[in-house]
Amino acid sequence: MLGLWLSPGIAAGSALSLQLELPLFESPYNLPLRGLPSGAQALSLSKSLYEGAHGAAELVEGDEPKVWRRMLSYSLQAGFDVLANWLPGGNSWAHEELHRAVMGRRGIDSYDGVYDLKLFASTISVYRVEDQGLIALKRDHPAELVRLAEAGIEGERELVLSLEKDAFFYGTRGFVAPLAMLVALNSFLYIRSGTDPASDEMFRQYIAAETTVASRDFDGHDFTSWVHDLYRPTEPYEARGPHPSGVGIQRYILVEQLSPEELRTLNRQSWLSLLNLADPWLVLPAPWLKLGSVGGDPLFGTANLRHHLTAFGYELAANLFLRAGEHRLFAALHAYVNQQQVLPGLELELLRHRLGEGLELSGRTMLWLQPRDQLFAEARLMPGALLAARLDARISGPLYGFGQLEGKTEGWVAGNVFLDANLSARLGFSVRL
């Protein structure tokens, strides 16, 4: 469930740049065909919606660099970002689709409440989920149930990062700040509300009203559920007890049910989430500096921090963006933290290296040490890696086709719903304007 707890630039008149994607197919996730969309597809579609809307708003700036036109454009973009919280394709939709994707990869059906179009609702649910699927998930894949609870907010932060990458590497002019601020502050407030007994009253009302299994959200408050199962990986899902109606299991974990240690963990994570405010895109439309030159091309760079909850605890990342001419590099240092240890990770991504006319290759690699079995109390560690390659080929004018292969060993990677080893293939189209 998503709780809406918080309901030097590029000159005006420069060429508009949009990077829109239509991800058509992903294997194995889209097989059988009811597995739509995957987590990666949902994030790609949401990014394209924001870039398209922001690009349309920038048309009001025209060819004259007037301040009032720039302010009007920014206001329209910020207004769209707020309204999109309740629209398919928007931030909340991406949040809920990441929840659904974690369940869907195990064959658990669900429905995204964003499609109900309840504008300005204080919460949005993923429902029509059978208890048996959640029972089996906790029994057979306990770390995935923990990941399920945090996957929504993980998706929101990956959405913002993808918009920042496009702005830096490809010059998209959309104003990222409103969405980035909304996600950062809502993350803090949502996690923190998991320590506030006042939020229990709202969920008691839902419990009383939801007399059928199909009407219930899959977990209620994301972060009371997250911390409850983080500390209890071997506790059967049925131990939550029967629903007061007498039908099904009482899924929702109230604040009053959490131990003092669990409350301290949530409180600590709420404050750590404020590291997402260490992001220059929150205050500047084009927050990068000239660092020197490479091969005669000016070298530009910027950086930010990220905090994620994970299946085993949390992750901190320091991200570095570099570009010089057609050379584009994204790098990140990761720290994976559970109850026992802090473990390192490294990520490198080369974007759109030109192979020939209309043909580009992108590559990404990650190396990490993470807790074995993705468990919070696990002292043993496990090495892991990810390797991905993507080929983009121009079809005609601004239309490109792309194919991507991404393989990983067991481990948690932000935006990738597979905790176990996986090889995924993706096909789709993109439009560059």
Side-chain angles (χ1 to χ4, degrees), residues 128-383:
R128 301 180 191 171
V129 179
E130 295 297 324
D131 285 340
Q132 290 306 313
L134 298 173
I135 291 171
L137 189 64
K138 180 65 181 287
R139 181 190 65 235
D140 301 332
H141 310 284
E144 292 189 21
L145 189 69
V146 181
R147 203 285 176 79
L148 169 60
E150 58 83 1
I153 211 163
E154 172 190 320
E156 293 184 63
R157 291 170 181 165
E158 286 300 287
L159 170 61
V160 171
L161 180 60
S162 68
L163 290 167
E164 292 174 343
K165 284 182 176 181
D166 278 5
F168 179 79
F169 292 117
Y170 311 126
T172 54
R173 290 175 49 206
F175 192 31
V176 180
L179 180 62
M181 183 64 75
L182 180 70
V183 168
L185 293 183
N186 191 57
S187 297
F188 166 72
L189 293 172
Y190 194 5
I191 297 172
R192 191 155 189 81
S193 71
T195 67
D196 184 359
S199 68
D200 284 350
E201 182 55 35
M202 177 176 67
F203 285 96
R204 286 193 183 96
Q205 293 175 16
Y206 291 149
I207 290 169
E210 296 166 350
T211 57
T212 65
V213 172
S215 66
R216 297 167 195 159
D217 185 70
F218 75 96
D219 75 346
H221 193 297
D222 289 347
F223 303 112
T224 57
S225 292
W226 173 80
V227 76
H228 175 272
D229 290 304
L230 185 73
Y231 277 86
R232 299 172 175 84
T234 61
E235 179 185 86
Y237 190 82
E238 303 93 315
R240 281 167 157 81
H243 192 273
S245 68
V247 179
I249 293 172
Q250 169 42 31
R251 299 174 181 176
Y252 302 170
I253 302 299
L254 301 180
V255 177
E256 66 182 22
Q257 296 174 255
L258 299 180
S259 70
E261 184 177 2
E262 290 163 353
L263 287 170
R264 285 193 296 271
T265 294
L266 271 188
N267 182 60
R268 186 183 310 115
Q269 293 307 313
S270 72
W271 291 113
L272 283 172
S273 75
L274 291 179
L275 289 172
N276 292 295
L277 295 174
D279 188 343
W281 266 278
L282 294 173
V283 292
L284 296 170
W288 46 83
L289 299 173
K290 183 177 179 181
L291 304 177
S293 62
V294 176
D297 293 315
L299 173 66
F300 295 96
T302 192
N304 60 19
L305 299 180
R306 279 291 181 272
H307 164 268
H308 280 296
L309 299 179
T310 69
F312 52 77
Y314 67 97
E315 180 223 37
L316 302 176
N319 299 325
L320 178 65
F321 305 70
L322 295 171
R323 78 167 190 269
E326 294 187 354
H327 302 291
R328 307 171 185 93
L329 178 68
F330 175 81
L333 290 174
H334 299 272
Y336 306 104
V337 188
N338 76 345
Q339 194 177 41
Q340 301 293 328
Q341 56 198 330
V342 179
L343 299 170
L346 175 66
E347 176 179 1
L348 295 172
E349 184 177 10
L350 181 67
L351 297 103
R352 293 188 186 172
H353 177 70
R354 185 174 179 179
L355 298 178
E357 186 62 32
L359 194 62
E360 299 162 340
L361 179 67
S362 301
R364 180 188 183 200
T365 186
M366 296 181 68
L367 298 172
W368 62 76
L369 295 174
Q370 292 183 5
R372 185 175 294 276
D373 298 323
Q374 300 288 292
L375 295 177
F376 180 55
E378 180 59 69
R380 296 173 299 169
L381 56 84
M382 177 180 58

